[in-house]
Amino acid sequence: MAEPVRVRRLTDQEGQKLQQVVRRGSTSSVRYRRAMMLLASAGGNRVPVIAQLVQADEDTVRDVIHAFNEKDLSCLDPRWAGGRPRQLSDEDEDFVIATATTRPVKLGQPFTRWSLRKLVAYLRKVHGRMIRIGREALRCLLARRGVTFQRTKTWKESPDPDRETKLDRIEHVLDRFPDRVFAFDEFGPLGIRPTTGSGWAEQRRPDRVPATYHRTHGVWYFHGCYSVGDDSLWSVNRRKKGAVNTLAALKSIRTARPDGAPIYVILDNLSAHKGTDTRRWAKKHKVELCFTPTYASWANPIEAHFGPLQQFTIANSNHPNHAVQTRALHAYLRWRNANARHHDVLAAERKERARIRSEKGIRWGGRPALAA
C-alpha cells in the first residue's frame, strides 16, 4: 500500500512563515490556499481533509505538496506566464538570485545591502562571469523568483532539545492512531471591535464597517478542540487562558471517546497546559499529552483550521458583544462540521485503517496483539 502524500518535516522558519500567511490572509488567494494546504499537511491532515478544507481537487493538493518537497516555499508563487525567450540561462538566473540574497560584505563589497544599481554593476564585473542585465530586467527577475526588498527580520529558532523526539511522536500517533488523535489550542484574544476584511461589492463601493474608539468589553479566548479522525471542530469561549480551562477542554475530548482506550492530544508548550492537576488527570484517564516543540506550534493539526475561522467569522465583522460573537463562532463550527467530508468516506478510511492494524497485529496503545 502506497504511503500517504505528506510534506516533509518543516523547519521552524517555514512553519512560522506558513502560519503568518494563513492567519493574516492578506495576500493573493493562490498563495493563501497553497500555504493552507502545506500547513494542514504538516499538521498531519490527510489529502482528502485538505482538499475539503480549501475546496480543491485532491490531485491539486498532491501536486502542491510534491512541489513544496522539491522547491520549498517558492512553490507558493507558481510561474504561470509566457513571453519571449529569456536572455539568461537558468544557471545565470540562479547565480543572480544567489548574489542578490548574499550580504555584499561577504563578497568583498563595502556596504550592508544591495541596490539595483550596485547589483547590476557587480554582476557585470564579477570575476569569471559577466552577466549583462538592466535594472528593470533585474527587478523583474527578482520579483519573479520571490526576492523582494524588505526589512530585516528575526527568527525564533526552537531551543527545545527534544524537538526531533516530539515531532517524531506526533507523526507516529497521527500515522498509527488517527481515530484516537485530537488537537487543542487557544485562539485570540478576541476583542469586540469592528474588524476589516474582504468581500464582494460593486466597484468602488466597498462594504464598510464603522470605526471605534472605546472598547469596554475586554477580551475573550477561543478554546478549540479538533478530532483528527472525525474531522470535526468544537470550542468554548473563555475570559482567559488557564489550567482550569485547559482541563475542561481535555475532559470534553475524553468524553468524545468514552470507551476508556488511550487517546492522544496534541497541544503546545503553554504553561497552562502542563499543570500538575492536568498531568495527573491525563495519566489517570489514559490521555497522552503530545506537546509540540517550543516555537513549533505549526505542528499542531488544529492550526490550519484557525485560518478559515478567522477569515469567515472574525474578519469583516462588527459584533456588539461577546455573546453574539460566540454564537457566530459556534454557528460557523456547526456549518463546518456539517459540510466536512462525507460520512461514507470517513467510514471507508476507518475500515481501511482497521484492516491494516489487523494485518499487522496491532491493538490500541501501539503494542502487538497477542496471538489467539
Side-chain angles (χ1 to χ4, degrees):
M1 182 178 178
E3 291 291 329
V5 177
R6 184 175 180 179
V7 298
R8 60 167 173 75
R9 180 170 295 177
L10 303 182
T11 63
D12 293 328
Q13 294 92 333
E14 291 170 340
Q16 292 164 14
K17 180 63 177 179
L18 292 175
Q19 269 187 307
Q20 182 185 54
V21 173
V22 170
R23 287 204 170 187
R24 290 185 177 180
S26 56
T27 184
S28 70
S29 59
V30 173
R31 186 179 180 87
Y32 172 75
R33 282 158 56 86
R34 285 180 167 235
M36 192 183 301
M37 294 178 195
L38 299 177
L39 187 60
S41 181
N45 294 276
R46 300 298 179 94
V47 169
V49 176
I50 302 173
Q52 179 67 26
L53 177 66
V54 301
Q55 293 296 296
D57 187 75
E58 293 184 14
D59 289 337
T60 300
V61 176
R62 294 188 182 95
D63 290 342
V64 172
I65 293 174
H66 287 311
F68 172 79
N69 291 338
E70 295 175 2
K71 301 187 297 184
D72 302 329
L73 289 179
S74 61
C75 74
L76 295 179
D77 302 296
R79 296 175 61 181
W80 296 327
R84 66 179 178 82
R86 293 175 294 162
Q87 300 301 305
L88 300 179
S89 65
D90 290 337
E91 183 180 353
D92 289 336
E93 286 192 359
D94 292 340
F95 179 78
V96 171
I97 298 302
T99 303
T101 54
T102 301
R103 284 182 172 269
V105 175
K106 293 184 178 181
L107 299 177
Q109 303 302 304
F111 29 84
T112 59
R113 67 169 179 84
W114 296 110
S115 67
L116 290 179
R117 189 186 300 275
K118 289 181 172 60
L119 184 55
V120 166
Y122 176 80
L123 291 172
R124 289 183 177 180
K125 63 180 181 180
V126 62
H127 178 70
R129 183 190 296 262
M130 181 181 294
I131 298 179
R132 294 187 177 275
I133 185 173
R135 279 178 285 170
E136 181 62 18
L138 176 60
R139 184 191 64 78
C140 293
L141 171 60
L142 295 175
R144 188 171 67 249
R145 297 290 290 269
V147 179
T148 59
F149 191 79
Q150 51 192 293
R151 291 184 178 275
T152 303
K153 299 286 186 178
T154 57
W155 290 103
K156 289 183 179 179
E157 293 285 352
S158 176
D160 198 327
D162 300 323
R163 179 182 185 274
E164 297 301 321
T165 302
K166 291 179 178 179
L167 291 177
D168 287 341
R169 183 57 181 169
I170 291 174
E171 291 181 1
H172 175 78
V173 299
L174 285 170
D175 290 339
R176 296 285 294 276
F177 320 114
D179 285 336
R180 315 291 299 184
V181 178
F182 297 82
F184 169 74
D185 198 8
E186 296 91 353
F187 177 83
L190 301 176
I192 298 302
R193 62 182 180 88
T195 306
T196 58
S198 57
W200 298 101
E202 293 184 26
Q203 189 174 11
R204 297 184 180 180
R205 293 181 179 273
D207 187 21
R208 298 182 182 275
V209 292
T212 181
Y213 299 96
H214 303 288
R215 300 171 185 172
T216 59
H217 295 272
V219 297
W220 284 43
Y221 291 88
F222 175 93
H223 290 63
C225 304
Y226 176 63
S227 173
V228 175
D230 296 332
D231 189 24
S232 61
L233 184 65
W234 69 95
S235 75
V236 175
N237 282 16
R238 308 281 189 180
R239 291 184 179 274
K240 61 180 180 180
K241 302 178 183 180
V244 174
N245 294 334
T246 298
L247 183 56
L250 294 178
K251 289 180 178 179
S252 75
I253 292 175
R254 177 74 269 186
T255 303
R257 292 291 186 275
D259 52 12
I263 62 173
Y264 309 88
V265 180
I266 301 173
L267 63 172
D268 60 32
N269 279 296
L270 186 69
S271 59
H273 301 166
K274 296 181 173 182
T276 303
D277 293 340
T278 301
R279 290 179 179 272
R280 185 185 302 115
W281 178 90
K283 182 177 181 180
K284 179 179 178 181
H285 292 85
K286 298 182 180 179
V287 177
E288 179 180 336
L289 303 180
C290 302
F291 294 104
T292 61
T294 305
Y295 304 146
S297 59
W298 51 262
N300 194 330
I302 200 174
E303 281 290 336
H305 300 272
F306 280 165
L309 181 72
Q310 195 274 340
Q311 288 297 313
F312 292 104
T313 59
I314 304 300
N316 203 29
S317 69
N318 184 17
H319 302 299
N321 52 57
H322 282 291
V324 175
Q325 184 184 67
T326 300
R327 285 197 295 269
L329 287 167
H330 289 174
Y332 171 80
L333 294 182
R334 288 193 297 270
W335 177 91
R336 179 223 176 272
N337 294 334
N339 290 274
R341 288 178 296 166
H342 201 270
H343 294 293
D344 57 355
V345 177
L346 290 172
E349 289 188 357
R350 293 194 191 98
K351 185 177 180 180
E352 178 64 17
R353 287 193 290 265
R355 182 188 64 79
I356 294 174
R357 288 195 301 270
S358 177
E359 290 179 355
K360 294 183 178 180
I362 297 174
R363 68 183 183 186
W364 293 122
R367 296 182 294 274
L370 298 177

